[in-house]
Amino acid sequence: MSLIEQILNQNPHVHIHDDKRVYVEEIIHSLIKDGRNMLHVVADFDFTLTMYEKNGVRLPSTFGVIESSDIIKLPDGSLLRDKSEQLRLKYHPIEIDVHMDVNEKIPYMIEWWRSAQNLFVLSNLNKSFLHELVFQSNMELKKGVREFILDLLTSETPILIFSAGLGDIIEIFFEKEIPEFKHNHKASHIVSNFIRYDTDGKLLTFNDKLIHSFNKNEHEIHDTSYFQTILNRPNVILLGDTLGDIGMIGGMKNLKQILKIGYLNHSTPAKLEVYKNVYDIVICDDQTFDVPNRILKEI
Ligand SMILES: [Mg+2]
């Protein structure tokens, strides 16, 4: 029995489009044949590496770690949490509207991200407080993510974490959960929205290059050190949880084998059909990394 057959037989919540079965078998066969030296991994962070929910409770995203705090105040005395929620109510329906064209959504997404970031700037946040928030938050890695990342680091297989969330929160969270992962290190990299602090650690502003839900494809990674790391590695495993995450490899040239694994949170039959068209392997409502680990171990 092939690896894919085993995975599908043992996991009824894992799906592959019927028309892609042979193709996926071939990709996995090539990934195994080419081995680790040809491989790199590109992963989204929020709700791909982290849990979407636990025991029926929704867990926070990187933005959510700050936005769910009930003590951060804006200059007018209102709570950052309430203002952020107002933004979410306005823009999230646009983000997930299936009838609206992506190009139409983009200006709203930019407005949302900029407004959310501006609230952080107004809130007088500093580095040490962000540390506190992350260490107190209930953000949690999916079960098996630590094992997955350590496996990559040990074999010096490059991993890029490509996030439209907050890079600083990811860094602090890894300090806590996977201290072996270092940003812009030998085989571990983060491309995301990063905060600029002043010399006292006060949050001043954000990087100019904004990454939101729908522009991951526009981010040229040529000027990052990650590009050098993957020059001779044409095979990639992509891991994401939104349709926009497919764009993470948009700026990479000369790729040979691409295995796209999508986590579908809050799945419905209609969403599953769309995800099966976009991703090679779709994993529904699963808070573990069992399937990616199973595949990685073979390579
Ligand atoms: Mg995500």
Side-chain angles (χ1 to χ4, degrees):
M1 205 189 284
S2 74
L3 178 63
I4 281 299
E5 276 171 329
Q6 287 176 36
I7 290 173
L8 291 175
N9 283 346
Q10 291 160 6
N11 302 280
H13 65 292
V14 176
H15 303 268
I16 296 173
H17 197 295
D18 284 342
D19 298 348
K20 287 189 188 172
R21 261 300 282 281
V22 176
Y23 166 77
V24 174
E25 294 269 8
E26 282 169 6
I27 296 176
I28 292 198
H29 180 76
S30 296
L31 292 180
I32 294 172
K33 196 171 82 204
D34 291 345
R36 286 292 171 97
N37 290 339
M38 303 268 270
L39 181 72
H40 66 114
V41 173
V42 178
D44 165 60
F45 184 77
D46 285 316
F47 310 132
T48 296
L49 297 184
T50 60
M51 290 188 186
Y52 181 72
E53 60 182 4
K54 191 179 185 183
N55 305 325
V57 178
R58 281 287 315 268
L59 298 188
S61 65
T62 47
F63 272 97
V65 166
I66 301 175
E67 290 173 342
S68 59
S69 163
D70 53 9
I71 55 168
I72 305 173
K73 286 210 170 111
L74 293 162
D76 67 359
S78 61
L79 285 174
L80 168 80
R81 187 189 60 191
D82 298 339
K83 285 275 157 61
S84 303
E85 179 60 11
Q86 284 170 17
L87 291 175
R88 205 187 67 82
L89 289 173
K90 179 177 174 189
Y91 294 108
H92 184 58
I94 299 173
E95 185 184 29
I96 58 167
D97 186 341
V98 288
H99 303 294
M100 197 170 172
D101 188 72
V102 167
N103 287 323
E104 237 181 293
K105 295 181 183 194
I106 286 176
Y108 293 104
M109 295 303 108
I110 295 172
E111 224 174 80
W112 184 9
W113 257 250
R114 288 288 181 222
S115 309
Q117 291 180 341
N118 194 37
L119 291 179
F120 295 166
V121 174
L122 291 172
S123 303
N124 258 316
L125 298 173
N126 64 54
K127 223 175 195 170
S128 61
F129 182 61
L130 291 183
H131 264 85
E132 255 175 65
L133 285 178
V134 174
F135 277 72
Q136 289 162 3
S137 94
N138 56 351
M139 185 159 75
E140 199 171 324
L141 288 174
K142 281 192 167 80
K143 230 173 126 256
V145 166
R146 194 183 140 75
E147 182 190 345
F148 183 84
I149 290 182
L150 288 182
D151 188 336
L152 294 174
L153 295 179
T154 310
S155 61
E156 293 190 5
T157 310
I159 172 167
L160 170 68
I161 292 175
F162 198 148
S163 170
L166 290 171
D168 301 78
I169 300 292
I170 298 173
E171 261 194 288
I172 302 167
F173 184 67
F174 275 138
E175 239 175 83
K176 179 185 162 200
E177 299 293 335
I178 315 180
E180 296 86 346
F181 183 102
K182 302 263 190 294
H183 171 38
N184 284 344
H185 199 57
K186 236 193 307 192
S188 44
H189 303 260
I190 303 171
V191 170
S192 186
N193 301 302
F194 278 95
I195 296 169
R196 289 199 207 138
Y197 300 98
D198 70 8
T199 45
D200 296 328
K202 185 176 169 305
L203 187 157
L204 279 185
T205 180
F206 287 83
N207 274 0
D208 300 334
K209 236 178 176 180
L210 180 76
I211 307 176
H212 57 73
S213 308
F214 300 111
N215 71 344
K216 283 187 172 178
N217 57 322
E218 289 167 11
H219 284 264
E220 290 295 329
I221 57 151
H222 287 107
D223 50 352
T224 68
S225 57
Y226 189 70
F227 185 71
Q228 296 302 319
T229 325
I230 61 162
L231 275 178
N232 299 311
R233 293 174 179 267
N235 297 343
V236 62
I237 297 176
L238 177 148
L239 294 143
D241 79 301
T242 65
L243 300 175
D245 286 335
I246 290 296
M248 295 188 293
I249 51 167
M252 295 176 189
K253 309 274 180 282
N254 305 321
L255 294 177
K256 196 177 128 210
Q257 304 294 346
I258 304 166
L259 180 68
K260 291 175 264 188
I261 302 176
Y263 275 90
L264 174 51
N265 300 310
H266 225 91
S267 67
T268 63
K271 278 203 249 173
L272 177 59
E273 280 314 304
V274 177
Y275 270 63
K276 271 160 62 179
N277 282 323
V278 170
Y279 284 102
D280 301 320
I281 299 175
V282 183
I283 306 169
C284 293
D285 298 299
D286 182 345
Q287 311 306 322
T288 80
F289 240 50
D290 293 350
V291 173
N293 273 324
R294 190 75 190 281
I295 295 168
L296 184 66
K297 277 200 182 73
E298 297 291 327
I299 302 174

